[in-house]
Amino acid sequence: MITVSEVQRRMRELYGHRDSRRGPERTLLWLISEVGEVADAVVKNRSGGIEEEMADVLAWLASLANVLDIDLERAFSSKYGDGCPRCASKPCNCPEG
Ligand SMILES: [Mg+2]
Ligand SMILES: [Zn+2]
């Protein structure tokens, strides 16, 4: 098992030097392109490919968070840690819209 914080730390140790040189805008473009690869794998129903592309999305999201100095685990916990951010229930009880 690997935590969100460990994902972010791993990406920093592997690619932090390149990520900071690349900067947030170009790192965001890489993230978006990896999301496109997930979409492609889902549409083509390549199940092995979906897993791999999802790993890439998580990796690039972590890189973007590193460049922007955002703690993803803290951000996620503070928004979703106690239940649905709108209705505060687990599972969400919001009307479906
Ligand atoms: Mg990919
Ligand atoms: Zn809700």
Side-chain angles (χ1 to χ4, degrees), residues 9-77:
R9 196 173 322 123
R10 174 63 47 83
M11 290 305 287
R12 189 179 296 113
E13 69 193 25
L14 294 180
Y15 303 115
H17 57 301
R18 293 188 197 163
D19 290 339
S20 54
R21 278 201 300 270
R22 187 186 318 98
E25 286 87 0
R26 290 203 296 134
T27 301
L28 172 67
L29 292 179
W30 276 98
L31 170 59
I32 292 167
S33 123
E34 293 296 345
V35 171
E37 291 177 12
V38 170
D40 197 53
V42 168
V43 167
K44 292 174 179 157
N45 202 16
R46 296 186 291 111
S47 49
I50 296 171
E51 277 192 24
E52 202 182 314
E53 299 306 345
M54 282 189 173
D56 289 341
V57 167
L58 181 60
W60 281 100
L61 180 64
S63 278
L64 182 60
N66 283 338
V67 171
L68 296 172
D69 210 21
I70 286 167
D71 181 336
L72 269 183
E73 187 163 295
R74 197 178 55 203
F76 186 88
S77 304

Side-chain angles (χ1 to χ4, degrees), residues 84 86-88 92-94:
C84 171
R86 281 165 50 198
C87 68
C92 167
N93 236 341
C94 294

